[in-house]
Amino acid sequence: MTEESKQPHAGEPRRSLPPLAAPDRAEIERHPELVMELLEPDQVVVAKRRTRFGRRRLGGGERALLWVLRVYVIAMQLLVLFTVLRAFRAAH
């Protein structure tokens, strides 16, 4: 077949290819890198500017855990300071 025979003749309706299935939201969330590959460079810049991560709202259990960790760190710092001072006094 030549290139001319592949093209529709005048008056013949053009047949289009079936549209590609649009990815569903779950597919996009599983593979966001695919979406970024399909964007134009300026669209990537705009998408990156829109993505801002603010402070996350923490639940009660998460906040309690963070406070326990803070208290633990302060207690360990005091313990180390006490041990260093005790060793320093014993050396003199």
Side-chain angles (χ1 to χ4, degrees):
M1 277 183 121
T2 65
E3 193 64 36
E4 292 175 7
S5 63
K6 289 181 185 176
Q7 305 228 346
H9 298 290
E12 239 183 80
R14 278 189 149 185
R15 284 190 263 162
S16 62
L17 295 174
L20 295 175
D24 60 348
R25 187 170 187 81
E27 187 69 26
I28 290 171
E29 289 174 356
R30 279 195 301 265
H31 305 290
E33 65 278 357
L34 295 176
V35 176
M36 293 302 278
E37 287 178 9
L38 297 173
L39 295 177
E40 295 290 328
D42 56 334
Q43 291 173 320
V44 172
V45 171
V46 171
K48 286 184 179 180
R49 283 186 188 156
R50 282 188 198 159
T51 306
R52 290 198 173 99
F53 298 103
R55 293 182 74 166
R56 182 174 176 228
R57 296 224 179 255
L58 301 176
E62 293 167 329
R63 278 193 279 167
L65 177 64
L66 287 175
W67 276 107
V68 167
L69 288 172
R70 288 176 183 138
V71 170
Y72 174 77
V73 167
I74 291 170
M76 288 300 108
Q77 287 176 342
L78 291 173
L79 184 64
V80 167
L81 180 64
F82 177 74
T83 304
V84 168
L85 289 176
R86 198 166 155 199
F88 185 71
R89 284 187 187 168
H92 284 65

